[in-house]
């Protein structure tokens, strides 16, 4: 087996220099560094990362706790996390908390016991135990998608403004009874999207009707039941907004079973775009979240926290994009069902909410700093 001493002899340097190159514990001149890396490559040397972690107290690993990894939205977040982590030289340990507070605490504890340098967590609807665990133990943690309070680093998409825009778009097409299939109670995403729904109604002078708001618990089966409940009302909605992609599938299932044709019988618009939304007939009008960017931003926040533990916590909100298709009742050319120009977002696709001042050149995120 090739040793560090073999690499040092081949490169004509000391073993200490090889160690500094591998562990990044001291700056090494570019030419010397290149010679060491060439020797490593030629000899096929494999660095002992376990030994390195004992020296540096760092494992260069990140724990990722995200529920419903099979959900396309979280799959894309995972891709953003993984590519950014690997680029920075970090590996990932992944766990699924199943949106269950007890299991969430268990997997976070297990990740911590694996000595990850930090964690990225999409919290459950009742995350108090998990948040208390990472706070008391000072585990560097970034929360994504769902917010837990501005005492922590966190990143998510804008939720309120995009849903308000969906409501206003449907109202502009003449709908006065617009239903919402909302997510799991307790999640910040659910609260903010319901807020956007109510703001959109208010902006268009429409009353909030409690019977037009139904909970789908953020999953397909719940959305199917919620849709049936909405359509059983004495005055059912003529348009429905679904608050995530899993619930969109459940709503479509219910509409099909009930013989309701979209958009001829009822209009549909969705929060969360997904890759096959363009393949449905009709094509689904949706709000697209910057999921990969959310994942990459979470990694950036975590690495900055590792480098500067005392910095103020930050909350970043990334803007969404309105993707206009035909399930809302508009034509392919963007005009309303009667052929005239539709009321609402202009063009086929545009940013649904803008985050104010950017935090870096090219960044679209809105950042709020809070000093503890």
């Amino acid at each position: 087996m090739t040793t560090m001493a073999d690499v040092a002899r081949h490169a004509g340097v000391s073993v200490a220099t090889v160690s500094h190159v591998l562990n990044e514990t001291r700056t090494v001149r570019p030419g010397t560094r290149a010679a060491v890396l060439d020797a490593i490559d030629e000899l096929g040397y494999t660095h002992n990362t376990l030994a390195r972690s004992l020296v540096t107290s760092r494992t260069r690993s990140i724990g990722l706790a995200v529920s419903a990894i099979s959900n396309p939205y979280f799959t894309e977040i995972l891709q953003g996390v993984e590519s950014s982590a690997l680029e920075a030289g970090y590996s990932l340990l992944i766990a699924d908390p199943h949106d269950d507070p007890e299991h969430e605490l268990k997997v976070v504890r297990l990740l911590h016991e694996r000595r990850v340098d930090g964690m990225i967590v999409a919290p459950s609807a009742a995350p108090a135990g998990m948040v208390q665990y990472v706070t008391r133990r000072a585990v560097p943690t970034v929360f994504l998608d769902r917010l837990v309070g501005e005492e922590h680093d966190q990143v998510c998409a804008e939720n309120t403004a995009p849903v308000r825009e969906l409501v206003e778009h449907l109202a502009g097409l003449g709908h006065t009874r617009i239903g919402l299939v909302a997510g799991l109670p307790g999640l910040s995403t659910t609260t903010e999207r319901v807020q956007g729904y109510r703001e959109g109604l208010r902006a268009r002078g429409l009353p909030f009707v409690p019977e037009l708001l139904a909970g789908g618990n953020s999953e397909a089966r719940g959305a199917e039941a919620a849709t049936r409940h909405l359509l059983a009302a004495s005055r059912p909605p003529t348009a429905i907004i679904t608050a995530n992609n899993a619930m969109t599938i459940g709503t479509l299932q219910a509409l099909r079973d009930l013989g309701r044709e979209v958009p001829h019988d009822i209009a549909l618009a969705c929060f969360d775009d997904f890759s096959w939304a363009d393949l449905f007939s009709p094509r689904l009008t949706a709000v697209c979240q910057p999921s990969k960017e959310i994942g990459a931003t979470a990694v950036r926040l975590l690495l900055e926290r590792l480098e500067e533990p005392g910095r103020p916590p930050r909350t970043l909100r990334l803007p969404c994009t309105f993707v206009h298709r035909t399930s809302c009742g508009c034509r392919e050319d963007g005009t309303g069902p009667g052929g005239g120009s539709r009321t609402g977002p202009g063009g086929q696709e545009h940013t649904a909410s803008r985050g104010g001042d950017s935090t870096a050149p090219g960044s679209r995120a809105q950042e709020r700093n809070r000093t503890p």
Side-chain angles (χ1 to χ4, degrees):
M1 182 191 300
T2 303
T3 66
M4 195 180 294
D6 296 328
V7 173
R9 279 193 297 271
H10 194 82
V13 300
S14 68
V15 172
T17 298
V18 176
S19 176
H20 287 312
V21 171
L22 291 171
N23 296 315
E24 299 178 357
T25 49
R26 194 183 72 186
T27 302
V28 177
R29 286 182 298 180
T32 303
R33 177 181 172 82
V36 170
L37 294 177
D38 287 343
I40 289 171
D41 187 53
E42 290 176 22
L43 297 177
Y45 174 73
T46 301
H47 187 36
N48 188 331
T49 54
L50 177 59
R52 178 183 183 276
S53 69
L54 293 174
V55 173
T56 63
S57 298
R58 290 281 187 92
T59 61
R60 296 195 73 81
S61 62
I62 294 172
L64 176 65
V66 177
S67 294
I69 294 173
S70 60
N71 185 313
Y73 168 64
F74 282 118
T75 300
E76 291 190 0
I77 282 183
L78 173 58
Q79 292 171 356
V81 171
E82 182 180 39
S83 60
S84 296
L86 289 177
E87 184 178 350
Y90 282 77
S91 60
L92 282 183
L93 295 178
I94 304 172
D96 187 341
H98 301 299
D99 268 331
D100 176 76
E102 290 186 13
H103 192 66
E104 174 181 66
L105 178 57
K106 179 179 179 180
V107 300
V108 164
R109 183 185 293 115
L110 289 173
L111 288 171
H112 185 218
E113 290 172 356
R114 292 283 184 140
R115 297 176 58 85
V116 295
D117 293 338
M119 296 190 205
I120 297 173
V121 181
S124 68
M130 178 271 296
V131 173
Q132 184 180 68
Y133 179 91
V134 298
T135 301
R136 284 184 173 177
R137 290 159 181 80
V139 181
T141 303
V142 174
F143 297 106
L144 62 74
D145 186 58
R146 298 120 176 219
L147 307 184
V148 299
E150 293 188 354
E151 299 81 10
H152 305 275
D153 292 320
Q154 44 193 5
V155 57
C156 66
E158 290 283 358
N159 290 295
T160 303
V163 176
R164 182 177 67 234
E165 187 169 12
L166 288 178
V167 173
E168 292 194 61
H169 174 61
L170 292 169
L173 295 174
H175 296 282
T176 59
R177 291 184 65 79
I178 301 168
L180 175 68
V181 178
L184 188 67
L187 297 178
S188 64
T189 49
T190 298
T191 301
E192 292 178 357
R193 291 169 196 175
V194 170
Q195 179 183 344
Y197 169 71
R198 300 188 68 152
E199 288 183 5
L201 294 173
R202 187 161 53 249
R204 286 292 180 163
L206 299 175
F208 170 69
V209 180
E211 69 174 359
L212 295 181
L213 173 62
N217 287 329
S218 298
E219 46 92 22
R221 184 175 298 179
E224 187 175 347
T227 302
R228 291 177 179 275
H229 175 77
L230 288 174
L231 295 182
S234 57
R235 294 183 59 212
T238 59
I240 291 177
I241 295 171
T242 54
N244 78 3
N245 55 20
M247 292 192 293
T248 298
I249 300 301
T251 292
L252 285 169
Q253 179 70 49
L255 293 175
R256 188 190 70 176
D257 291 348
L258 293 170
R260 304 296 180 90
E261 183 181 343
V262 178
H264 178 72
D265 297 321
I266 188 165
L268 179 66
C270 326
F271 195 102
D272 266 352
D273 199 20
F274 42 96
S275 57
W276 57 87
D278 223 14
L279 303 179
F280 282 86
S281 180
R283 297 160 60 239
L284 297 178
T285 292
V287 165
C288 179
Q289 298 191 74
S291 47
K292 289 183 181 179
E293 189 177 351
I294 290 172
T297 302
V299 173
R300 175 172 67 84
L301 285 177
L302 182 58
L303 296 183
E304 291 174 356
R305 172 63 57 194
L306 291 172
E307 289 302 314
E308 191 179 347
R311 70 182 305 158
R314 291 173 294 170
T315 294
L316 301 183
R317 289 181 178 270
L318 279 60
C320 296
T321 302
F322 181 97
V323 184
H324 176 243
R325 299 188 182 102
T326 56
S327 65
C328 55
C330 291
R331 300 177 186 273
E332 290 284 355
D333 62 3
T335 60
S341 297
R342 62 190 178 88
T343 303
Q348 294 294 312
E349 178 175 314
H350 74 281
T351 301
S353 59
R354 292 174 170 79
D357 294 337
S358 59
T359 61
S363 171
R364 298 180 301 157
Q366 178 180 357
E367 179 172 327
R368 295 195 301 274
N369 289 344
R370 182 181 185 278
T371 305

